[in-house]
Amino acid sequence: MPIITVKQDFKIAIENGNKIIVVEKGDQDVSDRVAEVAVNHLKVATFKTKGKQNESVSNTGTGKTTP
């Protein structure tokens, strides 16, 4: 699930439109659909970038140790 930074509270329908929730300001862990609507359609949020500790590290070594 993506983490977004919400700049302004917004309402969104979930569960096939059967339920309306309010997503509040701040960092929120939301579903892919909610993130898509907030960031690309409503433009009230941005995707939170992952820090260096979450980035994958490529293994370019040979696996051998030097004496």
Side-chain angles (χ1 to χ4, degrees), residues 27-41:
D27 292 344
Q28 304 291 340
D29 188 9
V30 296
S31 69
D32 291 334
R33 178 183 170 273
V34 172
E36 172 73 19
V37 170
V39 173
N40 296 322
H41 299 283

Side-chain angles (χ1 to χ4, degrees), residues 5-46:
T5 301
V6 179
K7 299 178 273 187
Q8 175 184 344
D9 295 358
F10 67 96
K11 294 180 182 179
I12 188 166
I14 59 171
E15 298 177 9
N16 293 323
N18 293 323
K19 185 176 181 182
I20 296 176
I21 62 169
V22 176
V23 181
E24 298 179 346
K25 289 169 105 176
D27 292 344
Q28 304 291 340
D29 188 9
V30 296
S31 69
D32 291 334
R33 178 183 170 273
V34 172
E36 172 73 19
V37 170
V39 173
N40 296 322
H41 299 283
L42 298 176
K43 302 197 185 304
V44 295
T46 57

